[in-house]
Structures are given as C-alpha cells and as structure tokens.
Amino acid sequence: MKEAEARIIEIIPRTYNVSSFRVGITGEAEFKAGQFLQVILNTEPQLKRYLSISNSPTEKGYLEFTKKITESDFCRALKTLKPGDSLIIQYPFGKFTLDESYPKVAFISGGIGITPIRSICKYIVDKQLETDVVLIYANRTAGDIAFKSDFDQMQQQYPGLKVIHVLSEANPGIEYLSGRVNAQVIQGKIKDYAERKFYLCGPPAMVEAMKEILAIELRLGEENIITENFQGY
C-alpha cells in the first residue's frame, strides 16, 4: 500500500449529483483496474472514505475517484475543494479485478457502482484485449447515468463491448430498457450468459439480488460470480 499527499488537478461533473476528482501523482500509479483507494481529507477531525478508482491504469498521470455527492460530512467537505487543494490518498485495495484468462465477461451494475467497471472496461479497450464484454447498467433515469459518453465512445472504439442501459423510470425505447434487471433481461440480452464470468457492483441490496438471480434462477456456479458491495455513497 502507498500513502501520498496529492493535489486535485481537475473536477469533472458526471451527472447532476456525481463528480470525478482527479489528483496528480508523482511517478507511475501502480494499481489494477477495478481496485479502490482511501481518500483522507485535510479536515479536523479527518474525514475518510474508501472509493473506487475510476480511471484505468492506461490513463497516466493521475488517479481519479468518483463520488455521488450527498449531504454527508465527507461530501460537504469534498464540495469545498477546488483544483490545487490537497488531500491524502492510500492505495491500492481490493480484488474486484479482471481475470484476463476469461474470453467472455459480463458486468451488472447500478448507480455509482459503475466506477470500478468503468476502470476495467477502459483498460480492456485501451489494451485491445479481445475480451467479449457485455455491461448491463441500471439507473433510475437517463440523467443518472454516469460515464455515458465514455461508454458510448468505448463502444465505437471496441466492437467487443456492448452496453445495455436499464432505467426504472423511463418509457421503453431503442436506447434504454424500462424496468428492473431480472433473469429475463439477462437471458434476453446475454444469450450466452452461461459461458461468461459475471462481475456485480452496486448497492448491497442490488448485488445480493443479482447474485441470487444468477446462482438460483440461471444456475451459474459461484466461481463465475464476482461481487463487490460498493461503499462509495
């Protein structure tokens, strides 16, 4: 694990209530796509959060964490920061990383749980790994979709990536499915689901629900289901 004082170099709005914070680093950041870091703010008392790294190791010169901005003490302090301000980071942590030996993978995510998956997908695209990837990404509305332009661009660059957006508050359409992720959605959109390793990341209740669907309804083995209960709310 490394600990370093880092300065914010850029703050990027992703949705109306989600922002990415890029911090500059000296030298090469050694981490795997999908891992997380701890952010320690220079407050009194110190405020800390574990947050996924949302950039890929292929994106050099910075580390990026992405946070849903709530009314917590941590978020109130975070909202006061601007480029040039410093904070402390500790990294890397976590085992929610890509098994490159699998030719086919699938991701199911909800809300801000997309951050480590964005890192992994960007790594696959930049490295041109030839991994066949399907992402099912659930949100409430289209305005809640984080990194939509990034995923749109990645799909153009990498034919092996397919992204399916599922919205709980939307009319059915070409671009979005309406409703919630269930066994029928998975079977309908991932015909070869039995051949894939699934990565699940999002709110704990969603992760558990998806795990049950995959293991009980779709009869996937535990070795093909990798989970991370996202802490970054």
Side-chain angles (χ1 to χ4, degrees):
M1 181 198 73
K2 294 184 178 181
E3 178 174 307
E5 184 169 357
R7 293 191 180 277
I8 295 174
I9 57 176
E10 191 175 5
I11 301 172
I12 306 168
R14 299 296 185 184
T15 72
Y16 65 94
N17 65 349
V18 172
S19 291
S20 293
F21 296 79
R22 290 183 177 176
V23 298
I25 54 167
T26 302
E28 182 120 359
E30 296 181 4
F31 70 98
K32 294 180 179 180
Q35 290 189 300
F36 62 93
L37 49 67
Q38 181 168 225
V39 176
I40 305 171
L41 302 182
N42 292 317
T43 54
E44 186 58 48
Q46 282 187 332
L47 297 170
K48 307 176 182 180
R49 284 291 185 280
Y50 288 108
L51 297 167
S52 291
I53 301 169
S54 51
N55 66 304
S56 161
T58 57
E59 297 172 294
K60 308 293 187 181
Y62 63 89
L63 283 172
E64 177 185 288
F65 61 91
T66 300
K67 182 76 176 73
K68 182 178 180 179
I69 306 301
T70 66
E71 292 304 313
S72 69
D73 290 342
F74 180 86
C75 284
R76 288 194 186 101
L78 196 63
K79 283 192 289 186
T80 69
L81 298 180
K82 58 188 183 301
D85 289 343
S86 64
L87 45 75
I88 297 167
I89 55 172
Q90 296 176 340
Y91 72 98
F93 302 98
K95 298 179 180 179
F96 191 77
T97 56
L98 180 68
D99 182 347
E100 295 185 28
S101 69
Y102 267 70
K104 294 182 178 183
V105 299
F107 299 96
I108 302 178
S109 182
I112 196 63
I114 195 65
T115 50
I117 294 170
R118 189 269 175 198
S119 173
I120 295 171
C121 287
K122 180 63 173 169
Y123 176 81
I124 291 170
V125 171
D126 286 350
K127 288 290 189 179
Q128 293 289 301
L129 294 184
E130 299 185 0
T131 306
D132 187 293
V133 184
V134 179
L135 164 63
I136 296 178
Y137 185 20
N139 283 282
R140 187 171 62 86
T141 70
D144 294 296
I145 300 173
F147 299 108
K148 185 176 186 303
S149 61
D150 283 17
F151 281 108
D152 287 347
Q153 184 178 33
M154 281 190 268
Q155 287 183 96
Q156 293 176 358
Q157 296 173 335
Y158 188 83
L161 171 63
K162 179 182 179 182
V163 181
I164 298 121
H165 294 287
V166 181
L167 305 180
S168 59
E169 296 181 13
N171 293 322
I174 296 173
E175 192 171 9
Y176 307 118
L177 292 181
S178 178
R180 298 187 182 277
V181 181
N182 54 31
Q184 289 70 38
V185 168
I186 296 169
Q187 288 175 309
K189 293 299 179 179
I190 312 178
K191 302 294 186 182
D192 57 356
Y193 68 88
E195 302 172 15
R196 294 179 182 266
K197 177 169 283 193
F198 277 76
Y199 292 77
L200 313 178
C201 187
M206 177 190 177
V207 169
E208 287 305 309
M210 293 301 104
K211 188 176 180 180
E212 286 191 14
I213 288 170
L214 292 172
I216 298 172
E217 295 186 50
L218 301 182
R219 300 182 181 277
L220 288 184
E222 287 186 8
E223 70 279 6
N224 287 338
I225 304 172
I226 299 171
T227 64
E228 176 134 293
N229 288 322
F230 194 73
Q231 304 178 39
Y233 284 90

